[in-house]
Amino acid sequence: MEAKLNVAVFISGGGTNLQSLIDAASSPEFPARIALVISSSKKAYGITRAENAGIPALILRKKDFNSDSDLSSAILEALKEHSIDVICLAGYLKLVPKEIVRSYRNRILNIHPALLPKFGGKGMYGMRVHQAVLESGERVSGPTVHVVDEIYDNGEILAQREVPVIPGEDPESLQKRVLEQEHRVYPEVLKRICEEIQSGKR
Ligand code: GRF
């Protein structure tokens, strides 16, 4: 078997997607290990999930640095130190610094809780996304996994899963059903992308 790739997961919150990646990567056949968690918030429960799994977790916040460029250097340094090959954003609420997008071109993935290109872009996160889907009268929603570039929710779409919208449901109920699919599709896509990298196809 090829050597496993090292994945860093960037979070800002609860980290249920982080958990699904940790669980999937615990299988010996999975082509990657979760080697590092970076959080933009001290309070993110995802940090506890990382600690429980024995994964190093760093809190790297803009307010602890003098400039954006110092923050991005600190992130890049941590990625280098842990020999990170691939980055998964999982509820990370900050724009990834340009220097990191450049260094990890096509190797940064994100999961979004709606069917992009609809319901994406700056400010479209969390419950707002589900609220907007319900207000628009869409009959289907569901997660999108895509490549990250310099623009929010813009890069190549790698996978989508459809989740029917139930007439009259509230955003919480839609979120719950979309999340169930997120937890399936994200590990599947990460596996595929890592295998493509290992075989030189990506
Ligand atoms: C998910 O809905 C994901 O699609 C979005 O942020 C949420 C993160 O949830 N990008 P969690 O922290 O993984 O539970």
Side-chain angles (χ1 to χ4, degrees), residues 11-19 46 49 89-93 110-114 124-126 130 143-144 153 175 178-179 182-183:
I11 60 165
S12 301
T16 64
N17 278 287
L18 165 64
Q19 190 66 55
R49 296 180 188 273
L89 309 185
Y92 187 65
L93 296 176
N110 180 43
I111 187 150
H112 184 78
M124 266 301 198
Y125 62 86
H130 303 294
T144 301
D153 300 327
Q175 179 192 46
V178 171
L179 257 185
E182 291 185 36
H183 299 156

Side-chain angles (χ1 to χ4, degrees), residues 102-134:
R102 266 187 234 126
S103 307
Y104 282 85
R105 180 75 62 198
N106 289 321
R107 304 250 177 139
I108 310 179
L109 316 183
N110 180 43
I111 187 150
H112 184 78
L115 297 172
L116 294 174
K118 287 183 183 171
F119 308 108
K122 195 167 163 43
M124 266 301 198
Y125 62 86
M127 210 52 88
R128 291 187 202 185
V129 177
H130 303 294
Q131 186 88 49
V133 170
L134 291 176

Side-chain angles (χ1 to χ4, degrees), residues 30-49:
F30 201 82
R33 68 172 68 83
I34 310 303
L36 178 67
V37 170
I38 292 182
S39 176
S40 68
S41 158
K42 201 170 76 177
K43 295 190 201 118
Y45 182 67
I47 297 168
T48 306
R49 296 180 188 273

